[in-house]
Amino acid sequence: MNPTIFIGRCDDDPMVTFPFHWAEQIKEEAEKLEWDIIDLQKENYTEEKAMRCIEEHAPFFVFFNGHGEGWCTTGHKRRPVLIANKNDFLLKNKIAYYTAQYLGQIAYDNGCKAYIGYEDTFAFVYLNEDAPLNDDIAKSYMEASNEVPLTILNGGTPKEAYEKSQKVFDKWIDIWEKRWKGMEKTKFPPKVIGEILATLIADKDGQRLFY
């Protein structure tokens, strides 16, 4: 029996449109590795549909993309999907990753096997929301984020997924620091590079693992 990955994603605004498109990389990797895939997109990414799919298919790995608060994750039109102390019990014995503010401690206390998320908003700088996969700035953040699910799909532990994601953040921080210092040529002004570095560092430092 193949393991199952659940992907929930929406594209209501630029901050979720980028993860929405970069989730294709995760889906393609899962297909290559012959995982079963549940992919709820746009108007289908709702609390009712997400919870029904998780209950019926018991995915090994749950990957949420969207906005969120400290008490919930959100889907289509920012409507709550995973809600603390209401339906987060569905994450029991599962590995979960969420690209926004986390429910980590609550979900973990309620039986989630491992939870990777962010202490605050997963923030990033971008150039053009019309070409998310070809954005030379957003790529830095999306590669670091995607390292978590890619590692899990390929048999890594949650701890390994977290550590590898941290290393990708470090790689891009080093690249942008060299550009900021003038050690590498770049078309971006120092002010923009400063914003990129600040958000990369904040995302790296704010990434949390409950395991």
Side-chain angles (χ1 to χ4, degrees), residues 126-171:
Y126 62 90
L127 286 171
N128 184 359
E129 64 182 277
D130 295 325
L133 297 176
N134 298 312
D135 193 300
D136 290 337
I137 294 178
K139 176 182 180 180
S140 308
Y141 310 85
M142 298 302 131
E143 281 192 354
S145 173
N146 273 10
E147 191 61 41
V148 171
L150 288 173
T151 300
I152 298 297
L153 287 172
N154 282 279
T157 66
K159 185 174 185 290
E160 289 169 338
Y162 169 78
E163 291 174 345
K164 290 182 73 173
S165 178
Q166 289 280 297
K167 287 180 180 179
V168 178
F169 273 119
D170 285 336
K171 179 192 79 172

Side-chain angles (χ1 to χ4, degrees), residues 2-3 8 15 22 27 31 41 43 53 55 69 82 88 95 131 141 147 149 154 156 162 167 171 188 199 211:
N2 296 333
M15 298 310 289
W22 276 81
K27 187 175 181 179
E31 289 173 343
Q41 301 183 25
E43 67 274 5
C53 286
E55 278 189 303
E69 303 292 341
L82 182 69
D88 59 341
I95 298 171
Y141 310 85
E147 191 61 41
N154 282 279
Y162 169 78
K167 287 180 180 179
K171 179 192 79 172
F188 303 111
T199 45
Y211 180 50

Side-chain angles (χ1 to χ4, degrees), residues 20-199:
F20 176 91
H21 287 282
W22 276 81
E24 283 298 318
Q25 182 188 39
I26 308 308
K27 187 175 181 179
E28 290 171 4
E29 184 72 3
E31 289 173 343
K32 185 178 75 174
L33 295 170
E34 298 184 340
W35 280 58
D36 291 333
I37 302 166
I38 304 165
D39 184 16
L40 295 187
Q41 301 183 25
K42 302 180 182 181
E43 67 274 5
N44 288 313
Y45 185 24
T46 64
E47 178 187 356
E48 180 183 358
K49 290 182 179 180
M51 295 307 102
R52 185 172 67 245
C53 286
I54 292 173
E55 278 189 303
E56 291 179 358
H57 299 279
F60 177 82
F61 180 51
V62 180
F63 181 28
F64 294 105
N65 284 290
H67 290 289
E69 303 292 341
W71 58 275
C72 76
T73 66
T74 65
H76 184 57
K77 294 187 177 179
R78 297 202 180 194
R79 292 170 182 151
V81 173
L82 182 69
I83 304 166
N85 296 318
K86 178 186 177 184
N87 58 21
D88 59 341
F89 67 89
L90 290 170
L91 296 185
K92 187 174 182 179
N93 298 322
K94 299 172 181 63
I95 298 171
Y97 178 50
Y98 186 51
T99 58
Q101 288 172 282
Y102 66 74
L103 299 169
Q105 187 65 61
I106 297 172
Y108 185 72
D109 289 345
N110 286 339
C112 184
K113 183 177 180 180
Y115 194 107
I116 302 171
Y118 295 83
E119 191 170 32
D120 205 339
T121 301
F122 177 72
F124 57 91
V125 180
Y126 62 90
L127 286 171
N128 184 359
E129 64 182 277
D130 295 325
L133 297 176
N134 298 312
D135 193 300
D136 290 337
I137 294 178
K139 176 182 180 180
S140 308
Y141 310 85
M142 298 302 131
E143 281 192 354
S145 173
N146 273 10
E147 191 61 41
V148 171
L150 288 173
T151 300
I152 298 297
L153 287 172
N154 282 279
T157 66
K159 185 174 185 290
E160 289 169 338
Y162 169 78
E163 291 174 345
K164 290 182 73 173
S165 178
Q166 289 280 297
K167 287 180 180 179
V168 178
F169 273 119
D170 285 336
K171 179 192 79 172
W172 281 107
I173 289 168
D174 182 62
I175 288 171
W176 286 106
E177 279 185 340
K178 288 178 179 177
R179 292 170 180 172
W180 185 67
K181 293 175 181 178
M183 298 167 65
E184 290 185 1
K185 290 184 178 181
T186 179
K187 61 184 177 181
F188 303 111
K191 182 179 179 180
V192 172
I193 297 177
E195 292 175 358
I196 295 167
L197 279 169
T199 45

